[in-house]
């Protein structure tokens, strides 16, 4: 198997709701080759599990590998915002909206003025406006299952 096969198998496991297998397969994919989408999905899994450190690490890697990906940039901006790095997050969201003014998750982040909020709270106590809530919106916008239900291969 190669990186892409492991990635597809990991996405299939994620579609089935098997987060543990998905994470294992995606990490195995990274052993073959680092790709921003693999890190992005691993960040999504970490975010779903409430693991802020791993989410930050994977979203930072995804953004580093492809800073022009709107989804990677917006996810990274979310975790930057949640760690109090408001100016960095705002700069990234501004660049996303400059190149793609209609990108929904970035528009929602920008329009709801998350940049003025203090978000340094324990994950279990986060209010609606916190970035982890927003990350749920980002994940909703980029559904794991494609519309036609076809295989990713």
């Amino acid at each position: 198997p190669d990186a892409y096969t492991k990635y597809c198998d990991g996405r299939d496991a994620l579609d089935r709701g098997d987060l543990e297998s998905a994470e294992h397969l995606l990490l195995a994919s990274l052993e073959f080759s680092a790709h921003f989408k693999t890190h992005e999905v691993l960040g999504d899994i970490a975010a779903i599990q409430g693991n802020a450190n791993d989410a930050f690490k994977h979203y930072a890697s995804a953004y580093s590998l492809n800073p022009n990906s709107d989804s990677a940039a917006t996810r990274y901006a979310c975790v930057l915002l949640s760690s109090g790095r408001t100016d960095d997050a705002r700069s990234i969201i501004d660049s996303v909206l400059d190149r793609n003014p209609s990108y929904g998750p970035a528009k929602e982040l920008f329009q709801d003025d998350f940049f003025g909020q203090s978000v340094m709270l324990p994950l279990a106590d986060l209010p609606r406006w916190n970035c982890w809530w927003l990350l749920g919106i980002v994940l909703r916008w980029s559904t794991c299952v494609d519309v036609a239900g076809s295989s990713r291969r």
Side-chain angles (χ1 to χ4, degrees):
D2 59 8
Y4 182 68
T5 301
K6 291 286 188 185
Y7 171 81
C8 290
D9 291 345
R11 290 297 303 252
D12 289 344
L14 183 59
D15 289 346
R16 292 189 311 272
D18 185 352
L19 296 179
E20 186 176 321
S21 291
E23 182 177 30
H24 175 77
L25 289 162
L26 291 165
L27 288 170
S29 172
L30 289 179
E31 292 177 13
F32 289 97
S33 174
H35 192 274
F36 85 98
K37 287 301 285 181
T38 307
H39 279 290
E40 190 175 279
V41 177
L42 282 164
D44 292 347
I45 291 170
I48 289 166
Q49 295 171 331
N51 185 336
N53 291 334
D54 281 354
F56 189 95
K57 176 183 78 170
H58 287 295
Y59 290 145
S61 294
Y63 180 73
S64 175
L65 289 167
N66 189 356
N68 291 320
S69 164
D70 295 337
S71 62
T74 302
R75 284 167 166 82
Y76 184 49
C78 282
V79 294
L80 286 172
L81 185 59
S82 72
S83 66
R85 294 174 56 188
T86 305
D87 291 341
D88 293 335
R90 178 63 181 253
S91 175
I92 290 170
I93 291 301
D94 285 344
S95 69
V96 169
L97 292 174
D98 283 347
R99 73 177 165 261
N100 186 358
S102 65
Y103 186 64
K107 280 176 49 178
E108 196 156 346
L109 180 62
F110 183 79
Q111 290 171 349
D112 288 343
D113 192 26
F114 288 90
F115 297 101
Q117 304 293 339
S118 173
V119 293
M120 300 297 289
L121 298 170
L123 287 178
D125 299 330
L126 298 180
R128 175 198 163 295
W129 48 260
N130 187 269
C131 197
W132 288 100
W133 169 81
L134 180 71
L135 196 51
I137 292 171
V138 173
L139 295 174
R140 184 186 74 226
W141 275 84
S142 54
T143 156
C144 293
V145 181
D146 60 1
V147 175
S150 61
S151 172
R152 289 180 176 77
R153 296 190 182 122

